[in-house]
């Protein structure tokens, strides 16, 4: 009885507590120069947009990792089903961590190609920067979740994210140069 309840409980627990992981990752890596809880409570809409985008990206990664095949299908016994579930759970946790790590790294690279100081603009409450940053977070989250949902190969995941991330960053730079050419020479 207990063994049949365990997979459902663990999946529900993981889904409900991912927000703690998402918020910690957002506060530590993305909003590293300010205290996010204070900024949100002081009505900094920019920080709220970025936190929401981090939750969306993390939710996409959770969905991708948990939507794979379960370990219990076709199992002859409860022990076989639980062993399969254990492998599936470990795989889901590994791919979730890789997906979170990948979009955070891509976001740090993105910060290095912008002409303004992202952290200062976020702290100042620049809504335009917040929308741009939030859309970029969701874009990278979609990229990493698609790589996770498409294949269970770690090599495929990293190749997919690397090529996709470079294409997104190159497109962003090209758009800046062609649509708003003065941004590369503007002083901030």
């Amino acid at each position: 009885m207990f063994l049949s309840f365990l997979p459902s409980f663990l999946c529900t627990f993981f889904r409900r507590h991912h927000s703690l992981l998402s918020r910690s990752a957002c506060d530590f890596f993305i909003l590293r120069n300010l205290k996010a809880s204070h900024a949100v409570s002081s009505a900094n809409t920019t920080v709220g947009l970025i936190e929401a985008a981090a939750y969306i990206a993390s939710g996409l990664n959770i969905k991708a990792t948990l939507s794979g095949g379960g370990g219990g299908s076709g199992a002859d016994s409860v022990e076989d089903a639980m062993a399969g579930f254990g492998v599936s759970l470990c795989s889901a946790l590994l791919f979730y961590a890789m997906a979170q790590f990948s979009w955070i790294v891509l976001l740090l690279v993105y910060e290095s190609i912008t002409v303004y100081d992202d952290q200062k603009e976020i702290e100042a409450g620049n809504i335009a920067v917040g929308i741009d940053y939030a859309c970029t977070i969701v874009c990278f989250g979609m990229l990493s979740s698609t790589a996770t949902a498409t294949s269970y190969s770690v090599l495929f995941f990293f190749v997919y994210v690397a090529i996709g991330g470079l294409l997104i960053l190159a497109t962003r730079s090209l758009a800046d140069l062609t649509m708003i050419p003065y941004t590369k020479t503007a002083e901030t």
Side-chain angles (χ1 to χ4, degrees):
M1 176 70 179
F2 173 73
L3 292 178
S4 64
F5 171 72
L6 186 62
S8 176
F9 172 76
L10 288 175
C11 286
T12 303
F13 180 82
F14 188 60
R15 285 180 183 148
R16 291 189 182 231
H17 290 86
H18 93 279
S19 62
L20 179 62
L21 295 171
S22 300
R23 184 176 184 139
S24 299
C26 185
D27 290 350
F28 188 75
F29 293 108
I30 299 170
L31 301 171
R32 59 193 173 278
N33 292 345
L34 65 135
K35 186 168 173 82
S37 60
H38 179 274
V40 169
S41 66
S42 66
N44 187 335
T45 307
T46 304
V47 173
L49 285 170
I50 292 168
E51 292 253 349
Y55 287 138
I56 292 169
S58 295
L60 290 169
N61 289 327
I62 292 279
K63 179 184 178 284
T65 56
L66 295 180
S67 66
S73 61
D76 293 331
S77 67
V78 174
E79 289 82 17
D80 290 344
M82 290 308 295
F85 173 73
V87 170
S88 294
L89 182 64
C90 289
S91 174
L93 291 174
L94 171 71
F95 275 91
Y96 174 74
M98 289 185 334
Q100 291 292 100
F101 175 76
S102 68
W103 71 258
I104 289 172
V105 167
L106 286 170
L107 197 62
L108 294 174
V109 173
Y110 165 77
E111 276 188 24
S112 70
I113 68 168
T114 56
V115 295
Y116 47 84
D117 184 354
D118 296 277
Q119 297 296 316
K120 285 183 183 175
E121 296 296 324
I122 291 167
E123 190 173 2
N126 187 333
I127 298 289
V129 170
I131 291 171
D132 181 42
Y133 208 81
C135 289
T136 303
I137 290 172
V138 172
C139 184
F140 289 147
M142 290 172 66
L143 175 70
S144 61
S145 67
T146 303
T148 300
T150 305
S151 173
Y152 285 117
S153 167
V154 174
L155 177 63
F156 175 83
F157 174 85
F158 282 117
V159 169
Y160 189 93
V161 169
I163 292 172
L166 289 174
L167 288 172
I168 290 169
L169 294 171
T171 303
R172 162 62 195 246
S173 295
L174 182 64
D176 281 350
L177 289 172
T178 57
M179 290 185 228
I180 315 171
Y182 62 86
T183 57
K184 291 297 179 190
T185 59
E187 295 202 16
T188 56

